Amino acid sequence: MNPENITETIKVACSSCNLRELCMPVGFNPEDMQKLDDVVATRRRIKQGDSLFSYGDSFTSLFAIRTGFFKTCVSSADGREQVTGFQMAGEIMGLDGIVSDYHSCDAIALEDAEVCVMPFANVEELSREFPQLQRHVHKIMSREIVRENGVMMLLGNMRAEERLAAFLLNLVQRLHARGFSQSELTLRMSREEIGSYLGMKLETVSRAFSKFSDEGIIEVKQRYVRIIEPDALKKIFNPQTYS
Amino acid sequence: MNPENITETIKVACSSCNLRELCMPVGFNPEDMQKLDDVVATRRRIKQGDSLFSYGDSFTSLFAIRTGFFKTCVSSADGREQVTGFQMAGEIMGLDGIVSDYHSCDAIALEDAEVCVMPFANVEELSREFPQLQRHVHKIMSREIVRENGVMMLLGNMRAEERLAAFLLNLVQRLHARGFSQSELTLRMSREEIGSYLGMKLETVSRAFSKFSDEGIIEVKQRYVRIIEPDALKKIFNPQTYS
DNA sequence: CGCTAGGTTGACTTTAATCAAAAAACGTGG
DNA sequence: CCACGTTTTTTGATTAAAGTCAACCTAGCG
């Protein structure tokens, strides 16, 4: 681990966090909320390019993103890398580590980030006390399973342009849920990382961007993207519904 | 639901089930084991070709396979189907339904099957009482996430023959863990279903089988497969480690 | 101001998809 | 048990999509 990743011992209160509705269950009464704060032990800052955890690290905690943007990726023995997801504020990382007590992927910050460290023992203990939290944890894991099912559909059945359209729509939708624009975004990842996630080469990603741009569907300038015709993107992603 | 799928009200005891080590936590004392039996409400038989649950069905229960073989698959709006997994005895299905209370995929029996129906409310209630069961449920979900990460690597980074080699090795390994042969297996799914899972067309699957057969790595006769050179398969799947 | 990493574009190659036909296996009913 | 139609699988020929290789451009940074 990078020595600059100092684990702060400052206590953070979920009860006063504006991301609570994204990473914590809602509808708790004030006194229970107090106890729920115990699930988060510390915060931790991660610099751009540094890893939050790596393949083989022992698993102790889940991480909720407060600020910043991450990628998770797995590597094959011969060095091929597959990005398995991009995570933003309010999303939970580290679920991969539960099954074997070791992490099976790397989580790398794509910009300076801060995460809430939630020791999994705390999560489990409080889950037994609060059915609402228990249900929430189950939903988070189930959501990840369903998300990955969608990625399998993308990788197994879609062509390059459909994948990129789906990717952009998904990103902008998640950003919009966090109060950002519905039509503009700044990509935090390179063409190569997008390509890895979508199962295509960086040149193919670039060509698809250019094609969309030529067709007036989006405006692209490096990592800035503006979606001009969201319906056209949706049609590319899902031809049948929009034909 | 098919009316022939009669839900039996016969009580099944996990404590006496020979699949217990596959789908239930180990190390319980006899009196707790008794309570653990309560997690399974009923058994249900599913005929080959029938679905255990379908996209849109409301989620109430997880299912543990006692006998038989399933595929799970998702469909896009324009009718493209992606097989997201193949499940065999001792494996758990239905986790996709937790997040939204509705199933987001179909589970279809590829041979006559019998499953244990575990109402999720029971699972959650007993999980709060038994940390060991709680941990077990978390591990099952985490394992599914990690498995899907591996499939993403397969679909995103591997070529057709690598995918098929990985698929065969995975299948035979799981069968072997259940007491079957390390080298022989009978496929329960068609070439088309294998292709859907691996993101390739049925013709490509067939050609890859033929190629392995020509090279003397496997013997194929329709759905019967014998692995003659497991190391050659492993080398195809993972060139670096074996070069 | 030049260096470097990331991004774009073009020419060509490779891989797998598509289209098509035939063979093999399977199920059903006579 | 056999003949029939159906489904599944195999194989070949051709096409389409994306990968590879290479050159060049652009932006950001020391």
Side-chain angles (χ1 to χ4, degrees):
Chain A
M1 192 191 300
N2 190 311
E4 289 159 73
N5 290 339
I6 303 146
T7 298
E8 300 177 13
T9 48
I10 299 156
K11 197 81 175 56
V12 189
C14 293
S15 46
S16 65
C17 177
N18 60 5
L19 287 169
R20 186 162 54 88
E21 62 209 38
L22 287 170
C23 72
M24 273 288 148
V26 290
F28 268 66
N29 61 47
E31 59 256 44
D32 285 351
M33 203 67 226
Q34 182 63 35
K35 278 186 143 182
L36 202 64
D37 285 348
D38 295 345
V39 78
V40 174
T42 57
R43 273 191 278 181
R44 192 173 137 192
R45 287 177 198 281
I46 303 95
K47 284 211 152 73
Q48 180 170 21
D50 286 349
S51 68
L52 171 60
F53 56 81
S54 302
Y55 173 89
D57 285 358
S58 66
F59 166 77
T60 57
S61 303
L62 299 180
F63 305 96
I65 303 175
R66 275 177 65 87
T67 61
F69 199 95
F70 286 83
K71 68 170 177 180
T72 46
C73 46
V74 294
S75 296
S76 65
D78 58 328
R80 283 178 281 189
E81 183 176 292
Q82 174 71 35
V83 172
T84 55
F86 296 108
Q87 294 81 19
M88 57 180 72
E91 295 178 336
I92 306 296
M93 290 186 296
L95 301 168
D96 61 285
I98 299 169
V99 62
S100 62
D101 292 322
Y102 289 95
H103 283 287
S104 64
C105 66
D106 302 330
I108 292 160
L110 296 181
E111 59 183 9
D112 290 357
E114 189 176 23
V115 301
C116 297
V117 180
M118 306 184 292
F120 194 57
N122 294 12
V123 174
E124 288 195 319
E125 193 185 329
L126 281 167
S127 282
R128 292 195 293 273
E129 191 174 345
F130 298 108
Q132 217 165 0
L133 176 62
Q134 179 192 38
R135 171 54 60 103
H136 189 71
V137 170
H138 290 156
K139 279 183 188 285
I140 283 170
M141 300 189 80
S142 176
R143 177 177 299 125
E144 179 64 6
I145 289 168
V146 171
R147 180 190 73 83
E148 295 196 359
N149 281 345
V151 177
M152 286 171 72
M153 166 63 83
L154 220 62
L155 293 174
N157 267 303
M158 310 268 206
R159 337 145 92 314
E161 285 167 29
E162 295 177 298
R163 295 180 203 185
L164 187 65
F167 170 75
L168 288 174
L169 288 168
N170 175 269
L171 257 195
V172 84
Q173 174 253 308
R174 283 154 67 202
L175 288 166
H176 189 231
R178 284 157 182 80
F180 294 97
S181 167
Q182 233 176 125
S183 58
E184 289 183 295
L185 68 156
T186 302
L187 301 170
R188 250 73 238 210
M189 70 295 281
S190 68
R191 300 289 188 263
E192 187 165 21
E193 287 162 334
I194 295 171
S196 174
Y197 182 58
L198 297 178
M200 52 210 250
K201 296 294 160 186
L202 67 95
E203 294 95 329
T204 308
V205 175
S206 181
R207 279 183 236 273
F209 269 122
S210 299
K211 178 132 184 284
F212 291 169
S213 181
D214 290 348
E215 293 170 344
I217 296 169
I218 63 173
E219 182 192 334
V220 195
K221 195 163 195 180
Q222 300 286 121
R223 297 197 177 182
Y224 166 83
V225 177
R226 184 166 66 90
I227 296 173
I228 299 166
E229 299 279 7
D231 286 350
L233 270 192
K234 285 172 196 156
K235 191 171 168 178
I236 289 165
F237 168 44
N238 194 339
Q240 203 63 8
T241 314
Y242 288 81
S243 64
Chain B
M1 187 192 302
N2 191 312
E4 288 157 75
N5 291 340
I6 302 146
T7 297
E8 300 177 17
T9 49
I10 299 154
K11 196 82 175 55
V12 190
C14 293
S15 46
S16 65
C17 177
N18 59 4
L19 287 169
R20 186 161 55 87
E21 62 210 39
L22 287 170
C23 71
M24 274 288 150
V26 290
F28 268 66
N29 61 46
E31 59 256 46
D32 285 351
M33 203 66 224
Q34 182 63 35
K35 279 185 143 183
L36 201 65
D37 286 348
D38 294 345
V39 79
V40 174
T42 56
R43 271 191 278 182
R44 193 172 136 194
R45 287 177 196 282
I46 303 94
K47 284 212 151 75
Q48 180 171 22
D50 286 349
S51 67
L52 173 59
F53 55 81
S54 302
Y55 173 89
D57 285 358
S58 65
F59 165 76
T60 57
S61 304
L62 299 179
F63 304 96
I65 303 175
R66 275 178 63 88
T67 61
F69 200 93
F70 286 83
K71 68 171 177 181
T72 46
C73 45
V74 293
S75 296
S76 65
D78 57 327
R80 282 178 282 189
E81 183 175 294
Q82 174 70 36
V83 172
T84 56
F86 296 107
Q87 294 80 20
M88 58 180 71
E91 295 178 336
I92 307 295
M93 290 185 296
L95 301 168
D96 62 284
I98 298 169
V99 62
S100 62
D101 293 324
Y102 290 94
H103 283 287
S104 63
C105 67
D106 303 330
I108 292 159
L110 296 180
E111 58 182 10
D112 290 357
E114 187 175 26
V115 300
C116 297
V117 179
M118 306 185 292
F120 193 57
N122 293 13
V123 174
E124 287 195 320
E125 193 185 327
L126 281 167
S127 282
R128 291 195 294 272
E129 192 174 346
F130 298 108
Q132 215 166 0
L133 176 61
Q134 180 192 37
R135 171 53 60 103
H136 189 72
V137 170
H138 290 156
K139 279 183 187 285
I140 283 170
M141 300 189 80
S142 176
R143 175 178 300 127
E144 179 64 5
I145 289 168
V146 171
R147 180 190 73 83
E148 294 195 358
N149 282 345
V151 177
M152 286 171 71
M153 166 63 84
L154 218 63
L155 293 174
N157 268 301
M158 310 269 206
R159 336 150 123 290
E161 285 167 28
E162 295 176 297
R163 296 181 202 184
L164 187 65
F167 170 75
L168 288 173
L169 288 168
N170 174 269
L171 258 194
V172 84
Q173 174 253 310
R174 284 155 66 203
L175 288 166
H176 189 229
R178 284 158 181 79
F180 294 96
S181 166
Q182 233 176 128
S183 59
E184 290 184 294
L185 67 156
T186 301
L187 301 170
R188 249 75 239 210
M189 71 295 282
S190 68
R191 300 290 187 263
E192 186 165 22
E193 286 162 333
I194 296 171
S196 173
Y197 183 58
L198 298 178
M200 50 210 251
K201 296 293 161 187
L202 67 96
E203 295 95 328
T204 309
V205 176
S206 181
R207 279 183 236 275
F209 269 122
S210 298
K211 178 132 184 287
F212 291 169
S213 180
D214 290 348
E215 293 168 345
I217 296 168
I218 62 174
E219 181 193 335
V220 195
K221 194 162 196 180
Q222 297 287 120
R223 298 197 174 181
Y224 165 84
V225 177
R226 184 166 65 91
I227 296 173
I228 299 165
E229 299 280 6
D231 285 350
L233 269 191
K234 285 172 196 156
K235 191 170 171 180
I236 290 166
F237 168 44
N238 193 339
Q240 203 65 7
T241 314
Y242 288 82
S243 65

